[in-house]
Amino acid sequence: LLRIGSDNDSVLLLQQYINVIAEVYPEVNSVELTGYFGTQTDRAVKAIQSLLGLEPNGLVGAITWNAITSLYSDIVNGSRLNEGQYPGFEIGR
């Protein structure tokens, strides 16, 4: 469980995910990459929880972690082009 006061590599990874999500969703503010779960990270987690229809309590347990990592993965993988695909390339109908 990650929450205010947590200070470890998992928080740093969470913050990296938050910053990628913040690039796509303006309601989520980016955070400093410190590895410390402070008020900035708490506000960002609550914004993501609200965005995903979860209770905005700022606690990052299994459900919130899985939701954040899934959203992060969708953003990162959805923005990559497949081999042979270029901007303006029609995928097909």
Side-chain angles (χ1 to χ4, degrees):
L1 182 68
L2 302 176
R3 63 174 123 207
I4 285 188
S6 296
D7 188 8
N8 55 47
D9 290 339
S10 294
V11 175
L12 183 60
L13 184 59
L14 171 66
Q15 291 169 334
Q16 291 169 344
Y17 289 170
I18 288 170
N19 286 343
V20 169
I21 293 167
E23 290 177 12
V24 177
Y25 294 94
E27 58 267 55
V28 178
N29 292 324
S30 61
V31 297
E32 291 184 48
L33 300 177
T34 62
Y36 177 75
F37 198 125
T39 55
Q40 274 187 347
T41 303
D42 182 61
R43 280 193 301 271
V45 166
K46 287 176 180 174
I48 293 170
Q49 288 172 323
S50 291
L51 178 73
L52 298 174
L54 302 172
E55 179 185 350
N57 57 16
L59 302 175
V60 181
I63 292 172
T64 296
W65 180 263
N66 289 338
I68 288 173
T69 58
S70 178
L71 180 58
Y72 167 84
S73 179
D74 288 347
I75 291 168
V76 170
N77 294 324
S79 65
R80 291 192 180 140
L81 297 175
N82 293 322
E83 187 177 330
Q85 201 176 7
Y86 304 96
F89 177 79
E90 261 192 61
I91 296 175
R93 295 183 183 160

